[in-house]
Amino acid sequence: MFDIEVVNGWTDWIQVVQMATEYFDEVGVKANVKTVDWAVYDKNLKDSNYKMSINWSMVSTNPILAYQAYFSSAYVGKIWHAGHGVNSPEIDALIDSFGKTGDAVKQQEIISELQEFTAQNLPFIPLFSNATWFQYNTNKIVGWPSEENPYVQPVFYDGGKRVLILNNLHLK
């Protein structure tokens, strides 16, 4: 028996965790929905103090950014994605080598190795594709990120990305 942590009040995610516990039960695995306050959720993910937790995936314009967040030892204890306990000096070196080469073929080889590592160790299981909620109006201002010009992932919670967006906006 284990708990799956989810933030109290996040009704859509609570429902997903309830469904997961029902699916687990169908195959003889017992799990509980455990709702916690945001501060507890945040601390538990960063401190690796959980058995299972629902979390969102890293959204980025280059996959290496996600692998840095998921597996780099430097992020353990600092962000939610790295607290699963699956990292190593070899993976750190592989991630670091990506930025040291401009060779696209070599970079693809590094990404392929990281994909293989993820598949072999499976510290997380994708449940669904999570939408990025973003809206804008082009009546007077243009330069927003779009499907045609995806220069940045437009998410409200990343202040650095907001600056990139502001720097690209201009009058129509």
Side-chain angles (χ1 to χ4, degrees):
M1 176 80 73
F2 61 92
D3 293 328
I4 305 174
E5 290 190 4
V6 60
V7 176
N8 188 31
W10 288 8
T11 55
D12 53 344
W13 281 28
I14 291 169
Q15 185 175 15
V16 169
V17 173
Q18 286 171 332
M19 291 169 58
T21 62
E22 291 169 12
Y23 299 146
F24 280 138
D25 191 52
E26 289 176 9
V27 295
V29 176
K30 301 296 180 197
N32 294 315
V33 177
K34 181 180 179 184
T35 59
V36 295
D37 289 334
W38 168 256
V40 173
Y41 177 81
D42 178 58
K43 183 170 177 30
N44 285 350
L45 285 174
K46 289 177 183 171
D47 293 347
S48 304
N49 187 26
Y50 61 94
K51 294 286 184 201
M52 187 174 282
S53 180
I54 188 169
N55 193 351
W56 55 91
S57 62
M58 180 76 181
V59 177
S60 64
T61 54
N62 188 311
I64 193 62
L65 300 174
Y67 287 113
Q68 286 171 334
Y70 294 143
F71 296 120
S72 178
S73 300
Y75 289 110
V76 174
K78 297 176 183 170
I79 67 170
W80 308 301
H81 302 298
H84 47 69
V86 178
N87 50 48
S88 72
E90 295 81 16
I91 291 300
D92 287 344
L94 187 61
I95 290 168
D96 292 345
S97 71
F98 185 91
K100 294 177 181 174
T101 181
D103 183 345
V105 172
K106 179 64 177 157
Q107 287 180 336
Q108 182 56 54
E109 290 171 3
I110 292 167
I111 294 295
S112 294
E113 285 185 58
L114 290 167
Q115 288 174 332
E116 185 68 27
F117 177 81
T118 304
Q120 289 173 355
N121 291 280
L122 207 59
F124 38 82
I125 302 168
L127 298 175
F128 52 86
S129 180
N130 200 16
T132 296
W133 304 107
F134 183 73
Q135 64 185 33
Y136 54 87
N137 184 319
T138 60
N139 286 344
K140 296 181 181 179
I141 298 176
V142 294
W144 303 97
S146 64
E147 186 175 353
E148 297 78 33
N149 185 18
Y151 61 88
V152 69
Q153 182 72 17
V155 291
F156 70 90
Y157 49 81
D158 187 336
K161 292 179 180 176
R162 289 193 301 260
V163 171
L164 291 174
I165 293 170
L166 287 172
N167 285 338
N168 277 281
L169 299 180
H170 57 274
L171 291 173
K172 193 170 191 179

